[in-house]
Amino acid sequence: MSKTPTLRLDRLLANLGYGSRREMQALAKYGRITFDGEPMKDADKHVPLTRDLPDHLHLDGKPIDPPPGIALMLHKPLGTTCSHKEAGPLVYDLLPTRWRMRDPAISTIGRLDKDTSGLLLLTDDGGLLHRVISPKNHVAKRYRVTLDRPLRGDEAETFAAGGLMLDGETKPLLPAVMETLSPTEALLTLTEGRYHQVRRMFAAMGNHVTALHRESMGGLDLPADLEPGTWRLMSDADLAAIFA
Ligand code: URA
């Protein structure tokens, strides 16, 4: 059986962005940190990094933030960016302010364009990030695409065959599945994630994407009750669904 990892109380709270280790030691001394209701006056003490730690460890009577090893699903709204290099509000601005100071930091699992909405995953777990984006795991991403002009009729066949070469690339695309919803709407499922891939695939077919929304990753659908701009912590079942 693997042992539950532990961390010194002052280090844990500092890593969660509550302040410096020295400040955490002072808070502990004043009895503001409790474990199961009992003041933890010694911040050198180790605490177990279990998922339910916030049920036990409180600061000023409030549960602490989730310990490291978290995954979130976010309904990315239009107009937000995943990259600090792009102008505009960041998806990270939708999370609690303190979470920007977390170590390890939370980052997006892959990216969506500023003009794309839908399911975006975030984590501070590098192993999880790599498992989701690794081409070996073939995590399929399904997009709802709205087009400027009616479909020609040969798009699904062309995408399914694979081998399409996008402008400026040297490696042909893997096969992708397209389902027509209406003359100007389709679902496109990809197992790779190249830069602006969906938009460029339709551009290669002489069309233009006017709206793009990611509906699912693997077997995990964007929950219908997750409003744009809101997020939730992922459960083990959500994580398993990605790879199902
Ligand atoms: N393909 C795109 O063109 N944009 C995205 O955001 C995702 C896939």
Side-chain angles (χ1 to χ4, degrees), residues 217-237:
M217 293 179 71
L220 178 71
D221 291 334
L222 178 68
D225 61 353
L226 195 61
E227 298 294 330
T230 65
W231 56 274
R232 70 171 64 141
L233 286 172
M234 289 172 72
S235 65
D236 287 341

Side-chain angles (χ1 to χ4, degrees), residues 43-94:
D44 297 351
K45 283 244 172 73
H46 281 233
V47 284
L49 296 180
T50 52
R51 188 83 68 81
D52 68 351
L53 187 60
D55 295 342
H56 303 282
L57 188 61
H58 292 181
L59 173 59
D60 290 336
K62 294 198 195 88
I64 59 145
D65 295 340
I70 56 173
L72 321 171
M73 55 171 118
L74 170 78
H75 185 158
K76 180 190 175 295
L78 291 174
T80 51
T81 86
C82 295
S83 162
H84 293 269
K85 289 187 197 136
E86 270 184 84
L90 286 161
V91 291
Y92 302 105
D93 297 340
L94 298 165

